[in-house]
Amino acid sequence: MSMTGGDALVATLLSHGIETCFGVSGESFLATLEALRRNRNSIRFVPTRHESGGAFAADAYARFTRKPGVVLVTRGPGASNAAVGLHSAAQDSIPILLIVGHVPTRAKGIEAFQEIDYHQMYGKIAKGVFEPLTAADVAACTARALRLAVAGRPGPVVLVLPRDVSDGDAGDPVIPENPGRPPAGAEPSAVARAAGMIVQAKNPVMLAGELVQWDRAHSDFRKLVEATGSSVMAAYRCQAAFPNDHPAYIGHIELSAPPYQASAWKEFDLVVAMGTRLDDATAGRHCAIRPGQKLIHIHPDPTVLARFASTLPLQSDVAPACAALLEALEGNTPPPERAAWRKPVRARHETFVAPGAAPIRGNVDIAQIVADLQDALPDDAVVVTDSGTFARWVHRYYRFNAPDSQAGSAAGSMGYGVPGAIGAALAMPGRTVVTFVGDGGFQMTGQELMTAVEHDIPIKVIVCDNGVWGSIMNSQTSKYGDEKLFGTTIRAPEFCTLAEGYGCASFKVERTADFPGAVARALAHRGPALIHVETDPRDVSPYGPWDP
C-alpha cells in the first residue's frame, strides 16, 4: 500500500523514536494530521493554543528525552509565531524539528497566501532548512533533518512540506532507521595538554555548561572535579549540571555577580569551560577571561571554539572529554591548597543562598517561598523558570542537586514557563514539575494551562505577580531614577479566577505564611494547579541591576 508524504513523515518520526509532538493544526498539513491520527497509539500529538507554546513545549521535551522535540505549524503566521521558540532552542543548544506546512509547489515564488521563504527566514537561526521536492523524498529528508538536529552541538532544524508534497503519493519508500548520534571524542594530545594545564594550575575553576546536561555527563564531570580539587560554577541557567550542595560548588553565574563571586574570580588562574558556549551572561563582565587567565574550552562545535582566544580549544563532546581527562589524571592527587582556598568561598556562598540574606520590603519573601517549596518537593522534582527577575530568586535560593531537575530559556524568552512545564512533564511522567512564571510571561502563554487541563498534565504553576516588567523597570530606574518610571508597569487579571476558568485548581498567597499550605494543597491536587503569589515591585530582584 502506497504512502502519502504525510505518512512517510510520521513513519520516519516513529523510526527515530519520536513518541510525542506538539503544534497547532493547520490546513496546510492535513495529510500529516491524518497520519498522526492513524498512528495515535504510537505517537502522541499535543495541540497547543499557540505556536510559541508548542515550540517551548518541544524544547523542554527535548531537554529531558535527548530526542528532537517536534513541533508542527502551518505556513506564514504559524511559522512566524514559532520563531521565538527556535531562537531560544538555538541559544540553548536544544534539538527541535519545526515542521512547516507550506503553500503548494506550483504557488511558490509568487507571494501566495501566507507564503514565506523559510530558507531566508530561518537560515541564520536554524542549523538547516530542508524542503523535499516530492512525496518520495519526504522520508529521507526527514531523517536527515532529525540527524542534523542532534549532531555536534544540538539545535533547531526546519522541515518545510509544501501541501502537495505531504498530500502526494510517496509510493512505498524505504523508511530510514535511526543510526544514533555518533559521539565526538577528544584528540589524545589535546587531552594530555589539558590535563597538564589542570595539574600545573594554582587555582582552577570549572564552568558547568548546558552540554554537561545534554551529554548526561553529570557523574563523570563530578568525578573530574573531585579528582582535580577544582572549584565549580554553573553557567547561566545550568545549575542542575552539578549538585549545588557539593563542597566544590560556589554558585551560579548570574547576570550580575555577587561580591564573593567577583572576588573569587580574580584568583582563578585557569578556567575550564565545560560544554558551555560562553554566552553573554556566562562570559559577561564579571566572568570575562582576563589577560593572564588561561582558558581550556571544551565544546563539540568548532564555530563556538573559534569565538574565543582559548589557551586550549578542545573539540569534543563533554562525556568523552571527561572520561579521557579522568584517565589522563589517574593517580594524580590534587593539592590540598585548592580545597583550603575553596572552603571560605563556599562558606560565603552558603551565606548568600540562605533565606534572609536579601532585604524584603513587601509582605511576601520570595526567598522563603523558594525554601519552603524545596522542603515540600521530592528530590527529583523538576523546576522550570520563565524569564524575568523573579527567576533570579529561584536561581539564588533553590538547590538543584539532581540531574534533569531544571529548565529555562537562557535566551531570556518570556513565555517559556507554562509550555516548558508541559513538555517536561510529558518527557518525564511521574516526576513532579513546578514552574515559576511572572505576571508578564504568564499573559504571553498562560493559556497553555488549558492544554494541561485537556491532556491531564499535572503541572504546578507559581505566578509571581508584581505588576511590572521587572528586569526592565530595574534597569530603567537604576539608569534614570525612580521618578522616570515609564512603560514598565502592567495590569494583570485575577489569576485565580482565570485558572478556574480553565478548569484548573488555584490558590492565593498574599503573605509568606500563606505559601506552605497553598503549595501542600497544590501538590496534593491530582491535576494542574496554579498558585498566585502577590509580590512587591520593590522586591524585584535579589541581585543588583544588570547593565549589559
Side-chain angles (χ1 to χ4, degrees), residues 38-349:
R38 288 201 301 271
N39 289 278
R40 61 190 179 276
N41 292 330
S42 302
I43 184 169
R44 182 178 191 175
F45 177 56
V46 180
T48 56
R49 271 51 190 174
H50 194 269
E51 290 85 358
S52 65
F56 287 140
D59 174 298
Y61 188 83
R63 286 173 190 261
F64 297 114
T65 62
R66 272 68 167 187
K67 300 175 183 178
V70 176
V71 55
L72 294 94
V73 301
T74 195
R75 62 202 181 199
S80 300
N81 286 341
V84 63
L86 253 69
H87 175 255
S88 181
Q91 293 221 326
D92 266 340
S93 305
I94 302 298
I96 283 182
L97 177 61
L98 175 68
I99 301 170
V100 181
H102 195 26
V103 301
T105 52
R106 68 179 183 278
K108 287 171 57 179
I110 56 172
E111 201 177 349
F113 179 62
Q114 297 183 335
E115 181 185 8
I116 293 177
D117 184 334
Y118 301 105
H119 297 272
Q120 290 192 29
M121 177 179 180
Y122 285 124
K124 297 295 185 180
I125 301 176
K127 292 182 71 177
V129 179
F130 294 83
E131 185 173 349
L133 299 177
T134 69
D137 299 326
V138 169
C141 207
T142 303
R144 287 197 298 273
L146 289 166
R147 290 197 298 270
L148 179 60
V150 297
R153 175 190 174 190
V157 176
V158 179
L159 179 67
V160 181
L161 281 181
R163 179 166 181 172
D164 55 321
V165 170
S166 58
D167 287 351
D169 186 357
D172 186 18
V174 174
I175 303 300
E177 295 298 320
N178 181 11
R181 179 181 182 271
E187 201 275 321
S189 65
V191 171
R193 186 181 168 199
M197 290 173 64
I198 293 170
V199 168
Q200 293 165 14
K202 179 181 178 182
N203 196 7
V205 63
M206 295 194 175
L207 304 185
E210 64 272 12
L211 297 186
V212 173
Q213 303 179 91
W214 167 260
D215 235 12
R216 288 194 171 103
H218 306 82
S219 178
D220 275 356
F221 180 65
R222 187 184 69 251
K223 291 175 184 176
L224 181 62
V225 169
E226 292 168 351
T228 60
S230 301
S231 302
V232 177
M233 297 174 76
Y236 185 54
R237 290 187 181 243
C238 294
Q239 288 159 281
F242 191 82
N244 295 182
D245 283 344
H246 194 285
Y249 183 74
I250 60 169
H252 172 239
I253 298 176
E254 261 289 345
L255 298 175
S256 51
Y260 84 93
Q261 282 186 0
S263 176
W265 188 260
K266 296 175 183 177
E267 298 190 44
F268 295 129
D269 60 336
L270 174 64
V271 178
V272 182
M274 185 68 74
T276 169
R277 64 180 176 87
L278 290 175
D279 56 280
D280 187 52
T282 302
R285 58 177 181 166
H286 65 281
C287 196
I289 308 302
R290 67 176 188 274
Q293 196 174 43
K294 295 178 180 178
L295 170 64
I296 299 173
H297 194 181
I298 300 172
H299 201 280
D301 189 341
T303 304
V304 170
L305 294 174
R307 294 173 185 164
F308 302 91
S310 306
T311 314
L312 176 60
L314 201 160
Q315 185 178 348
S316 174
D317 285 336
V318 169
C322 286
L325 282 168
L326 279 169
E327 184 177 355
L329 291 163
E330 188 173 0
N332 175 72
T333 301
E337 293 82 8
R338 291 180 182 176
W341 177 89
R342 194 176 63 199
K343 189 174 181 179
V345 181
R346 171 70 187 179
R348 289 193 288 273
H349 168 71

